[in-house]
Amino acid sequence: MEVPDIQNQTLAEIQLKLYNKAKRNPQKRFRKLKKLLLKDEILYTAWKNLNKNTKGTGFDSLTVQQVEASGVDKFIRVVKKELEDGKYIADAVKRVEIPKRNGETRQLGILTLRDRLVQGAVKLVLEPIFEADFENCSYGYRAYRSAKLASLEVYKWLEAGNTHYLKGDIEGCFDNIPHDKLMKIIKTRIGDELILSLVESWLKKGSFGSGSGKNSNKGLLQGGIISPLLVNFYLDQFDNHWAEIGLKNVEGESIEHLVRFADDFVVLSKEWIKPERAETIMAELGLELNREKTYVGAAANGFEFVGFYFQEILDENGLGNRINVLPTDGSIEKIIESIESIDIEFKGKKNKFDSENEYQALNIVIKNIYNVVDPWVNYYRHTDYASGLERIEQCFNKKIQDFI
């Protein structure tokens, strides 16, 4: 049987109702969410939201394609019945090491398809409730928000003269969020026993050290569908607390402006900023700042944030200024590496084309390069990206010449 065409408006109505209730009453605890979680609108949308192209599988070795072949309806009915009867138990998590650009690795967890479905469903229920509490300064892992919008917010405050900054990064944020404190803050909003038990079970399964067999009682699974939402909900305390511990002047106006993207943040002010304030808040949350990536400075010296480079440019007399926003060198180098890899991959195939088809082969190379460059240009279109684009064009031209 084919997956029913779920009416998005129905799901939107469910989520909007939850959001409005949470917004109107900041102290409200939602105790009856199980019925919503079991709705077809929720479960089938969670299924549709699954990444169908995920190559890795959990310990069940089950893929989306296999379930589609055997019957999505049957799969969802079985999971729904387990949730209804209280027999659902989170599966073990498969852990893999993913190489990072700096040569190090990071550990990701791969959930079973069953757990991915249920986590996606719980996320659909919790997201509108939590979203009602989130501050405007938070941009990561949220609908209709992005690093690009965060960069515009930073630019706005810099243009307004807030050219002193504290650039901060949380040490191992996903790995160090304490479960007891996280559950305590979740329970201020959620009173449904099924939802709470599901979240607790995922926390326990996700926090086992690699091969240790011991629960560390802290950390969120990197690779978990619900993990980014929980990170944001926990760090919302940081956003709130930042405005509540006296960082306003006597008129009540904010004198320091926070912009946060997940565990990466910047505070902007017209005055020099003391990092001890952020350290104190983090300590209360059971977290620490990454000292190597946390520093204070003036925008005239420039700083990076969420893939953008910001710098205040003074005129010759030191009287006027303007704010430059540029793509980071890292983003430019990544595009250049991608162009080079496309060319290298194609060189091995070039001999397969005879002389009559070389023009066609060249067009394919150019098309592949534009598929890499065009998204970069669109992403950085609001910045002063000309110098970066010039470097990319030089690489582009050289590779085309080499091919010819």
PDB file of all heavy atoms in Angstrom, residues 3-4 40-52 62-69 71-73 75-76 79 113-114 116-118 120-121 124:
ATOM      1  N   VAL A   3       2.042   5.158   0.799  1.00  0.00           N
ATOM      2  CA  VAL A   3       1.921   6.042   1.958  1.00  0.00           C
ATOM      3  C   VAL A   3       0.816   7.050   1.694  1.00  0.00           C
ATOM      4  O   VAL A   3       0.774   7.669   0.630  1.00  0.00           O
ATOM      5  CB  VAL A   3       3.252   6.785   2.211  1.00  0.00           C
ATOM      6  CG1 VAL A   3       3.098   7.731   3.382  1.00  0.00           C
ATOM      7  CG2 VAL A   3       4.360   5.783   2.481  1.00  0.00           C
ATOM      8  N   PRO A   4      -0.136   7.242   2.607  1.00  0.00           N
ATOM      9  CA  PRO A   4      -1.210   8.209   2.396  1.00  0.00           C
ATOM     10  C   PRO A   4      -0.649   9.616   2.209  1.00  0.00           C
ATOM     11  O   PRO A   4       0.391   9.964   2.762  1.00  0.00           O
ATOM     12  CB  PRO A   4      -2.023   8.123   3.705  1.00  0.00           C
ATOM     13  CG  PRO A   4      -1.655   6.831   4.310  1.00  0.00           C
ATOM     14  CD  PRO A   4      -0.266   6.535   3.882  1.00  0.00           C
ATOM     15  N   ASP A  40      -1.705   9.779  12.785  1.00  0.00           N
ATOM     16  CA  ASP A  40      -1.108   9.454  11.485  1.00  0.00           C
ATOM     17  C   ASP A  40      -0.411  10.666  10.879  1.00  0.00           C
ATOM     18  O   ASP A  40       0.616  10.532  10.214  1.00  0.00           O
ATOM     19  CB  ASP A  40      -2.182   8.942  10.527  1.00  0.00           C
ATOM     20  CG  ASP A  40      -2.594   7.505  10.837  1.00  0.00           C
ATOM     21  OD1 ASP A  40      -1.873   6.848  11.608  1.00  0.00           O
ATOM     22  OD2 ASP A  40      -3.618   7.054  10.312  1.00  0.00           O
ATOM     23  N   GLU A  41      -0.992  11.850  11.108  1.00  0.00           N
ATOM     24  CA  GLU A  41      -0.373  13.064  10.571  1.00  0.00           C
ATOM     25  C   GLU A  41       1.061  13.213  11.057  1.00  0.00           C
ATOM     26  O   GLU A  41       1.936  13.678  10.317  1.00  0.00           O
ATOM     27  CB  GLU A  41      -1.178  14.311  10.979  1.00  0.00           C
ATOM     28  CG  GLU A  41      -2.535  14.441  10.322  1.00  0.00           C
ATOM     29  CD  GLU A  41      -3.622  13.707  11.078  1.00  0.00           C
ATOM     30  OE1 GLU A  41      -3.300  12.893  11.969  1.00  0.00           O
ATOM     31  OE2 GLU A  41      -4.795  13.945  10.780  1.00  0.00           O
ATOM     32  N   ILE A  42       1.291  12.840  12.295  1.00  0.00           N
ATOM     33  CA  ILE A  42       2.624  12.956  12.887  1.00  0.00           C
ATOM     34  C   ILE A  42       3.529  11.833  12.409  1.00  0.00           C
ATOM     35  O   ILE A  42       4.658  12.070  11.928  1.00  0.00           O
ATOM     36  CB  ILE A  42       2.538  12.943  14.433  1.00  0.00           C
ATOM     37  CG1 ILE A  42       1.731  14.153  14.938  1.00  0.00           C
ATOM     38  CG2 ILE A  42       3.937  12.919  15.047  1.00  0.00           C
ATOM     39  CD1 ILE A  42       2.380  15.483  14.717  1.00  0.00           C
ATOM     40  N   LEU A  43       3.074  10.598  12.511  1.00  0.00           N
ATOM     41  CA  LEU A  43       3.915   9.446  12.193  1.00  0.00           C
ATOM     42  C   LEU A  43       4.284   9.393  10.715  1.00  0.00           C
ATOM     43  O   LEU A  43       5.445   9.128  10.357  1.00  0.00           O
ATOM     44  CB  LEU A  43       3.220   8.156  12.617  1.00  0.00           C
ATOM     45  CG  LEU A  43       3.076   7.950  14.134  1.00  0.00           C
ATOM     46  CD1 LEU A  43       2.175   6.757  14.432  1.00  0.00           C
ATOM     47  CD2 LEU A  43       4.444   7.750  14.776  1.00  0.00           C
ATOM     48  N   TYR A  44       3.319   9.659   9.841  1.00  0.00           N
ATOM     49  CA  TYR A  44       3.620   9.595   8.412  1.00  0.00           C
ATOM     50  C   TYR A  44       4.498  10.776   7.974  1.00  0.00           C
ATOM     51  O   TYR A  44       5.332  10.635   7.077  1.00  0.00           O
ATOM     52  CB  TYR A  44       2.333   9.540   7.586  1.00  0.00           C
ATOM     53  CG  TYR A  44       1.763   8.146   7.495  1.00  0.00           C
ATOM     54  CD1 TYR A  44       0.737   7.730   8.337  1.00  0.00           C
ATOM     55  CD2 TYR A  44       2.260   7.241   6.570  1.00  0.00           C
ATOM     56  CE1 TYR A  44       0.221   6.449   8.266  1.00  0.00           C
ATOM     57  CE2 TYR A  44       1.755   5.952   6.489  1.00  0.00           C
ATOM     58  CZ  TYR A  44       0.737   5.561   7.340  1.00  0.00           C
ATOM     59  OH  TYR A  44       0.233   4.284   7.266  1.00  0.00           O
ATOM     60  N   THR A  45       4.316  11.931   8.599  1.00  0.00           N
ATOM     61  CA  THR A  45       5.194  13.059   8.272  1.00  0.00           C
ATOM     62  C   THR A  45       6.613  12.778   8.754  1.00  0.00           C
ATOM     63  O   THR A  45       7.583  13.105   8.065  1.00  0.00           O
ATOM     64  CB  THR A  45       4.674  14.357   8.913  1.00  0.00           C
ATOM     65  OG1 THR A  45       3.349  14.622   8.441  1.00  0.00           O
ATOM     66  CG2 THR A  45       5.574  15.542   8.544  1.00  0.00           C
ATOM     67  N   ALA A  46       6.736  12.171   9.917  1.00  0.00           N
ATOM     68  CA  ALA A  46       8.060  11.788  10.418  1.00  0.00           C
ATOM     69  C   ALA A  46       8.731  10.826   9.447  1.00  0.00           C
ATOM     70  O   ALA A  46       9.939  10.905   9.197  1.00  0.00           O
ATOM     71  CB  ALA A  46       7.947  11.159  11.804  1.00  0.00           C
ATOM     72  N   TRP A  47       7.946   9.918   8.885  1.00  0.00           N
ATOM     73  CA  TRP A  47       8.503   8.984   7.895  1.00  0.00           C
ATOM     74  C   TRP A  47       8.963   9.736   6.647  1.00  0.00           C
ATOM     75  O   TRP A  47      10.044   9.508   6.125  1.00  0.00           O
ATOM     76  CB  TRP A  47       7.469   7.925   7.519  1.00  0.00           C
ATOM     77  CG  TRP A  47       7.943   7.044   6.400  1.00  0.00           C
ATOM     78  CD1 TRP A  47       7.658   7.167   5.069  1.00  0.00           C
ATOM     79  CD2 TRP A  47       8.846   5.949   6.514  1.00  0.00           C
ATOM     80  NE1 TRP A  47       8.312   6.211   4.346  1.00  0.00           N
ATOM     81  CE2 TRP A  47       9.043   5.441   5.203  1.00  0.00           C
ATOM     82  CE3 TRP A  47       9.489   5.330   7.585  1.00  0.00           C
ATOM     83  CZ2 TRP A  47       9.871   4.347   4.951  1.00  0.00           C
ATOM     84  CZ3 TRP A  47      10.304   4.235   7.329  1.00  0.00           C
ATOM     85  CH2 TRP A  47      10.502   3.758   6.037  1.00  0.00           C
ATOM     86  N   LYS A  48       8.125  10.654   6.156  1.00  0.00           N
ATOM     87  CA  LYS A  48       8.472  11.415   4.961  1.00  0.00           C
ATOM     88  C   LYS A  48       9.719  12.273   5.183  1.00  0.00           C
ATOM     89  O   LYS A  48      10.467  12.551   4.242  1.00  0.00           O
ATOM     90  CB  LYS A  48       7.303  12.311   4.553  1.00  0.00           C
ATOM     91  CG  LYS A  48       6.137  11.559   3.932  1.00  0.00           C
ATOM     92  CD  LYS A  48       5.067  12.528   3.442  1.00  0.00           C
ATOM     93  CE  LYS A  48       3.958  11.798   2.714  1.00  0.00           C
ATOM     94  NZ  LYS A  48       2.921  12.721   2.189  1.00  0.00           N
ATOM     95  N   ASN A  49       9.927  12.699   6.421  1.00  0.00           N
ATOM     96  CA  ASN A  49      11.071  13.572   6.718  1.00  0.00           C
ATOM     97  C   ASN A  49      12.395  12.820   6.837  1.00  0.00           C
ATOM     98  O   ASN A  49      13.459  13.446   6.908  1.00  0.00           O
ATOM     99  CB  ASN A  49      10.830  14.336   8.023  1.00  0.00           C
ATOM    100  CG  ASN A  49       9.767  15.406   7.870  1.00  0.00           C
ATOM    101  OD1 ASN A  49       9.415  15.795   6.754  1.00  0.00           O
ATOM    102  ND2 ASN A  49       9.245  15.881   8.986  1.00  0.00           N
ATOM    103  N   LEU A  50      12.348  11.496   6.887  1.00  0.00           N
ATOM    104  CA  LEU A  50      13.578  10.720   7.004  1.00  0.00           C
ATOM    105  C   LEU A  50      14.454  10.934   5.778  1.00  0.00           C
ATOM    106  O   LEU A  50      13.965  11.062   4.654  1.00  0.00           O
ATOM    107  CB  LEU A  50      13.265   9.231   7.144  1.00  0.00           C
ATOM    108  CG  LEU A  50      12.592   8.773   8.441  1.00  0.00           C
ATOM    109  CD1 LEU A  50      12.342   7.275   8.383  1.00  0.00           C
ATOM    110  CD2 LEU A  50      13.448   9.109   9.644  1.00  0.00           C
ATOM    111  N   ASN A  51      15.753  10.989   6.010  1.00  0.00           N
ATOM    112  CA  ASN A  51      16.699  11.121   4.903  1.00  0.00           C
ATOM    113  C   ASN A  51      16.741   9.800   4.141  1.00  0.00           C
ATOM    114  O   ASN A  51      17.313   8.819   4.603  1.00  0.00           O
ATOM    115  CB  ASN A  51      18.083  11.484   5.432  1.00  0.00           C
ATOM    116  CG  ASN A  51      19.080  11.729   4.326  1.00  0.00           C
ATOM    117  OD1 ASN A  51      18.784  11.519   3.143  1.00  0.00           O
ATOM    118  ND2 ASN A  51      20.267  12.182   4.680  1.00  0.00           N
ATOM    119  N   LYS A  52      16.154   9.792   2.978  1.00  0.00           N
ATOM    120  CA  LYS A  52      16.060   8.556   2.200  1.00  0.00           C
ATOM    121  C   LYS A  52      17.410   8.124   1.623  1.00  0.00           C
ATOM    122  O   LYS A  52      17.585   6.992   1.199  1.00  0.00           O
ATOM    123  CB  LYS A  52      15.056   8.744   1.050  1.00  0.00           C
ATOM    124  CG  LYS A  52      13.656   9.184   1.482  1.00  0.00           C
ATOM    125  CD  LYS A  52      12.953   8.154   2.338  1.00  0.00           C
ATOM    126  CE  LYS A  52      11.478   8.438   2.500  1.00  0.00           C
ATOM    127  NZ  LYS A  52      11.149   9.649   3.239  1.00  0.00           N
ATOM    128  N   LEU A  62      18.362  -2.205   8.544  1.00  0.00           N
ATOM    129  CA  LEU A  62      17.163  -1.963   7.747  1.00  0.00           C
ATOM    130  C   LEU A  62      17.263  -0.607   7.056  1.00  0.00           C
ATOM    131  O   LEU A  62      17.639   0.400   7.677  1.00  0.00           O
ATOM    132  CB  LEU A  62      15.928  -1.997   8.642  1.00  0.00           C
ATOM    133  CG  LEU A  62      14.557  -2.087   7.979  1.00  0.00           C
ATOM    134  CD1 LEU A  62      14.441  -3.366   7.162  1.00  0.00           C
ATOM    135  CD2 LEU A  62      13.470  -2.027   9.050  1.00  0.00           C
ATOM    136  N   THR A  63      16.935  -0.549   5.775  1.00  0.00           N
ATOM    137  CA  THR A  63      16.956   0.689   5.014  1.00  0.00           C
ATOM    138  C   THR A  63      15.541   1.148   4.696  1.00  0.00           C
ATOM    139  O   THR A  63      14.580   0.369   4.758  1.00  0.00           O
ATOM    140  CB  THR A  63      17.726   0.515   3.694  1.00  0.00           C
ATOM    141  OG1 THR A  63      16.988  -0.383   2.842  1.00  0.00           O
ATOM    142  CG2 THR A  63      19.118  -0.043   3.933  1.00  0.00           C
ATOM    143  N   VAL A  64      15.433   2.433   4.350  1.00  0.00           N
ATOM    144  CA  VAL A  64      14.141   2.979   3.943  1.00  0.00           C
ATOM    145  C   VAL A  64      13.603   2.230   2.728  1.00  0.00           C
ATOM    146  O   VAL A  64      12.407   1.915   2.649  1.00  0.00           O
ATOM    147  CB  VAL A  64      14.281   4.484   3.626  1.00  0.00           C
ATOM    148  CG1 VAL A  64      13.002   5.012   2.975  1.00  0.00           C
ATOM    149  CG2 VAL A  64      14.593   5.271   4.889  1.00  0.00           C
ATOM    150  N   GLN A  65      14.484   1.941   1.795  1.00  0.00           N
ATOM    151  CA  GLN A  65      14.060   1.259   0.570  1.00  0.00           C
ATOM    152  C   GLN A  65      13.478  -0.136   0.859  1.00  0.00           C
ATOM    153  O   GLN A  65      12.510  -0.553   0.224  1.00  0.00           O
ATOM    154  CB  GLN A  65      15.238   1.136  -0.398  1.00  0.00           C
ATOM    155  CG  GLN A  65      15.701   2.463  -0.997  1.00  0.00           C
ATOM    156  CD  GLN A  65      16.436   3.358   0.001  1.00  0.00           C
ATOM    157  OE1 GLN A  65      16.984   2.851   0.990  1.00  0.00           O
ATOM    158  NE2 GLN A  65      16.429   4.654  -0.239  1.00  0.00           N
ATOM    159  N   GLN A  66      14.055  -0.823   1.823  1.00  0.00           N
ATOM    160  CA  GLN A  66      13.540  -2.154   2.180  1.00  0.00           C
ATOM    161  C   GLN A  66      12.151  -2.056   2.787  1.00  0.00           C
ATOM    162  O   GLN A  66      11.282  -2.892   2.497  1.00  0.00           O
ATOM    163  CB  GLN A  66      14.509  -2.833   3.156  1.00  0.00           C
ATOM    164  CG  GLN A  66      15.812  -3.287   2.515  1.00  0.00           C
ATOM    165  CD  GLN A  66      16.821  -3.787   3.537  1.00  0.00           C
ATOM    166  OE1 GLN A  66      16.824  -3.361   4.690  1.00  0.00           O
ATOM    167  NE2 GLN A  66      17.692  -4.694   3.109  1.00  0.00           N
ATOM    168  N   VAL A  67      11.938  -1.051   3.630  1.00  0.00           N
ATOM    169  CA  VAL A  67      10.613  -0.877   4.232  1.00  0.00           C
ATOM    170  C   VAL A  67       9.595  -0.489   3.170  1.00  0.00           C
ATOM    171  O   VAL A  67       8.451  -0.973   3.173  1.00  0.00           O
ATOM    172  CB  VAL A  67      10.662   0.192   5.346  1.00  0.00           C
ATOM    173  CG1 VAL A  67       9.250   0.523   5.846  1.00  0.00           C
ATOM    174  CG2 VAL A  67      11.510  -0.294   6.510  1.00  0.00           C
ATOM    175  N   GLU A  68       9.998   0.376   2.253  1.00  0.00           N
ATOM    176  CA  GLU A  68       9.079   0.763   1.171  1.00  0.00           C
ATOM    177  C   GLU A  68       8.691  -0.447   0.325  1.00  0.00           C
ATOM    178  O   GLU A  68       7.556  -0.547  -0.159  1.00  0.00           O
ATOM    179  CB  GLU A  68       9.733   1.840   0.307  1.00  0.00           C
ATOM    180  CG  GLU A  68       9.823   3.196   1.003  1.00  0.00           C
ATOM    181  CD  GLU A  68      10.560   4.236   0.179  1.00  0.00           C
ATOM    182  OE1 GLU A  68      11.350   3.844  -0.711  1.00  0.00           O
ATOM    183  OE2 GLU A  68      10.351   5.436   0.439  1.00  0.00           O
ATOM    184  N   ALA A  69       9.635  -1.356   0.154  1.00  0.00           N
ATOM    185  CA  ALA A  69       9.356  -2.562  -0.647  1.00  0.00           C
ATOM    186  C   ALA A  69       8.414  -3.514   0.081  1.00  0.00           C
ATOM    187  O   ALA A  69       7.548  -4.146  -0.532  1.00  0.00           O
ATOM    188  CB  ALA A  69      10.665  -3.270  -0.984  1.00  0.00           C
ATOM    189  N   GLY A  71       6.393  -2.617   2.732  1.00  0.00           N
ATOM    190  CA  GLY A  71       5.158  -1.967   3.163  1.00  0.00           C
ATOM    191  C   GLY A  71       5.361  -0.973   4.289  1.00  0.00           C
ATOM    192  O   GLY A  71       5.640  -1.376   5.435  1.00  0.00           O
ATOM    193  N   VAL A  72       5.238   0.310   3.981  1.00  0.00           N
ATOM    194  CA  VAL A  72       5.411   1.365   4.982  1.00  0.00           C
ATOM    195  C   VAL A  72       4.292   1.323   6.010  1.00  0.00           C
ATOM    196  O   VAL A  72       4.519   1.498   7.214  1.00  0.00           O
ATOM    197  CB  VAL A  72       5.470   2.757   4.297  1.00  0.00           C
ATOM    198  CG1 VAL A  72       5.488   3.872   5.337  1.00  0.00           C
ATOM    199  CG2 VAL A  72       6.697   2.866   3.404  1.00  0.00           C
ATOM    200  N   ASP A  73       3.074   1.103   5.544  1.00  0.00           N
ATOM    201  CA  ASP A  73       1.928   1.048   6.462  1.00  0.00           C
ATOM    202  C   ASP A  73       2.141   0.023   7.570  1.00  0.00           C
ATOM    203  O   ASP A  73       1.903   0.291   8.750  1.00  0.00           O
ATOM    204  CB  ASP A  73       0.647   0.700   5.695  1.00  0.00           C
ATOM    205  CG  ASP A  73       0.126   1.869   4.887  1.00  0.00           C
ATOM    206  OD1 ASP A  73       0.574   2.994   5.144  1.00  0.00           O
ATOM    207  OD2 ASP A  73      -0.719   1.646   4.011  1.00  0.00           O
ATOM    208  N   PHE A  75       4.961  -1.224   8.688  1.00  0.00           N
ATOM    209  CA  PHE A  75       6.056  -0.803   9.563  1.00  0.00           C
ATOM    210  C   PHE A  75       5.565   0.221  10.584  1.00  0.00           C
ATOM    211  O   PHE A  75       5.840   0.112  11.784  1.00  0.00           O
ATOM    212  CB  PHE A  75       7.188  -0.223   8.708  1.00  0.00           C
ATOM    213  CG  PHE A  75       8.383   0.219   9.496  1.00  0.00           C
ATOM    214  CD1 PHE A  75       9.320  -0.683   9.959  1.00  0.00           C
ATOM    215  CD2 PHE A  75       8.583   1.572   9.765  1.00  0.00           C
ATOM    216  CE1 PHE A  75      10.423  -0.273  10.686  1.00  0.00           C
ATOM    217  CE2 PHE A  75       9.684   2.005  10.487  1.00  0.00           C
ATOM    218  CZ  PHE A  75      10.602   1.077  10.947  1.00  0.00           C
ATOM    219  N   ILE A  76       4.826   1.216  10.107  1.00  0.00           N
ATOM    220  CA  ILE A  76       4.343   2.269  11.004  1.00  0.00           C
ATOM    221  C   ILE A  76       3.319   1.717  11.996  1.00  0.00           C
ATOM    222  O   ILE A  76       3.315   2.088  13.175  1.00  0.00           O
ATOM    223  CB  ILE A  76       3.762   3.444  10.193  1.00  0.00           C
ATOM    224  CG1 ILE A  76       4.892   4.159   9.451  1.00  0.00           C
ATOM    225  CG2 ILE A  76       3.015   4.426  11.102  1.00  0.00           C
ATOM    226  CD1 ILE A  76       4.443   5.330   8.600  1.00  0.00           C
ATOM    227  N   VAL A  79       5.158  -0.032  14.882  1.00  0.00           N
ATOM    228  CA  VAL A  79       5.778   0.939  15.801  1.00  0.00           C
ATOM    229  C   VAL A  79       4.697   1.643  16.619  1.00  0.00           C
ATOM    230  O   VAL A  79       4.847   1.837  17.837  1.00  0.00           O
ATOM    231  CB  VAL A  79       6.617   1.966  15.015  1.00  0.00           C
ATOM    232  CG1 VAL A  79       7.136   3.061  15.949  1.00  0.00           C
ATOM    233  CG2 VAL A  79       7.769   1.273  14.303  1.00  0.00           C
ATOM    234  N   LEU A 113      16.170   2.299  12.085  1.00  0.00           N
ATOM    235  CA  LEU A 113      15.120   3.003  11.351  1.00  0.00           C
ATOM    236  C   LEU A 113      13.907   3.259  12.245  1.00  0.00           C
ATOM    237  O   LEU A 113      13.248   4.303  12.157  1.00  0.00           O
ATOM    238  CB  LEU A 113      14.719   2.180  10.125  1.00  0.00           C
ATOM    239  CG  LEU A 113      13.949   2.915   9.028  1.00  0.00           C
ATOM    240  CD1 LEU A 113      14.712   4.134   8.537  1.00  0.00           C
ATOM    241  CD2 LEU A 113      13.657   1.977   7.873  1.00  0.00           C
ATOM    242  N   ARG A 114      13.634   2.319  13.105  1.00  0.00           N
ATOM    243  CA  ARG A 114      12.518   2.428  14.051  1.00  0.00           C
ATOM    244  C   ARG A 114      12.711   3.621  14.986  1.00  0.00           C
ATOM    245  O   ARG A 114      11.791   4.419  15.208  1.00  0.00           O
ATOM    246  CB  ARG A 114      12.447   1.123  14.826  1.00  0.00           C
ATOM    247  CG  ARG A 114      11.487   1.029  15.975  1.00  0.00           C
ATOM    248  CD  ARG A 114      11.498  -0.420  16.442  1.00  0.00           C
ATOM    249  NE  ARG A 114      10.944  -0.601  17.768  1.00  0.00           N
ATOM    250  CZ  ARG A 114      11.648  -0.483  18.899  1.00  0.00           C
ATOM    251  NH1 ARG A 114      12.925  -0.152  18.853  1.00  0.00           N
ATOM    252  NH2 ARG A 114      11.063  -0.683  20.064  1.00  0.00           N
ATOM    253  N   ARG A 116      14.693   6.192  14.453  1.00  0.00           N
ATOM    254  CA  ARG A 116      14.685   7.421  13.652  1.00  0.00           C
ATOM    255  C   ARG A 116      13.260   7.909  13.433  1.00  0.00           C
ATOM    256  O   ARG A 116      12.973   9.110  13.506  1.00  0.00           O
ATOM    257  CB  ARG A 116      15.377   7.183  12.305  1.00  0.00           C
ATOM    258  CG  ARG A 116      16.892   7.068  12.396  1.00  0.00           C
ATOM    259  CD  ARG A 116      17.489   6.560  11.090  1.00  0.00           C
ATOM    260  NE  ARG A 116      17.165   7.425   9.965  1.00  0.00           N
ATOM    261  CZ  ARG A 116      17.299   7.081   8.698  1.00  0.00           C
ATOM    262  NH1 ARG A 116      17.699   5.847   8.379  1.00  0.00           N
ATOM    263  NH2 ARG A 116      17.003   7.931   7.725  1.00  0.00           N
ATOM    264  N   LEU A 117      12.356   6.968  13.169  1.00  0.00           N
ATOM    265  CA  LEU A 117      10.953   7.328  12.964  1.00  0.00           C
ATOM    266  C   LEU A 117      10.353   7.945  14.228  1.00  0.00           C
ATOM    267  O   LEU A 117       9.730   9.011  14.175  1.00  0.00           O
ATOM    268  CB  LEU A 117      10.152   6.094  12.553  1.00  0.00           C
ATOM    269  CG  LEU A 117       8.632   6.275  12.492  1.00  0.00           C
ATOM    270  CD1 LEU A 117       8.243   7.228  11.372  1.00  0.00           C
ATOM    271  CD2 LEU A 117       7.929   4.932  12.314  1.00  0.00           C
ATOM    272  N   VAL A 118      10.558   7.301  15.371  1.00  0.00           N
ATOM    273  CA  VAL A 118       9.942   7.780  16.612  1.00  0.00           C
ATOM    274  C   VAL A 118      10.577   9.094  17.054  1.00  0.00           C
ATOM    275  O   VAL A 118       9.875  10.006  17.519  1.00  0.00           O
ATOM    276  CB  VAL A 118      10.048   6.712  17.725  1.00  0.00           C
ATOM    277  CG1 VAL A 118       9.397   7.216  19.005  1.00  0.00           C
ATOM    278  CG2 VAL A 118       9.378   5.413  17.283  1.00  0.00           C
ATOM    279  N   GLY A 120      11.796  11.340  15.100  1.00  0.00           N
ATOM    280  CA  GLY A 120      11.248  12.350  14.202  1.00  0.00           C
ATOM    281  C   GLY A 120       9.840  12.745  14.591  1.00  0.00           C
ATOM    282  O   GLY A 120       9.465  13.926  14.513  1.00  0.00           O
ATOM    283  N   ALA A 121       9.046  11.777  15.039  1.00  0.00           N
ATOM    284  CA  ALA A 121       7.676  12.066  15.464  1.00  0.00           C
ATOM    285  C   ALA A 121       7.664  12.905  16.739  1.00  0.00           C
ATOM    286  O   ALA A 121       6.903  13.883  16.851  1.00  0.00           O
ATOM    287  CB  ALA A 121       6.914  10.755  15.674  1.00  0.00           C
ATOM    288  N   LEU A 124       8.473  16.492  16.011  1.00  0.00           N
ATOM    289  CA  LEU A 124       7.344  17.246  15.451  1.00  0.00           C
ATOM    290  C   LEU A 124       6.394  17.737  16.540  1.00  0.00           C
ATOM    291  O   LEU A 124       5.780  18.800  16.406  1.00  0.00           O
ATOM    292  CB  LEU A 124       6.571  16.372  14.459  1.00  0.00           C
ATOM    293  CG  LEU A 124       7.261  16.075  13.119  1.00  0.00           C
ATOM    294  CD1 LEU A 124       6.465  15.041  12.334  1.00  0.00           C
ATOM    295  CD2 LEU A 124       7.442  17.349  12.302  1.00  0.00           C
TER     296      LEU A 124
END
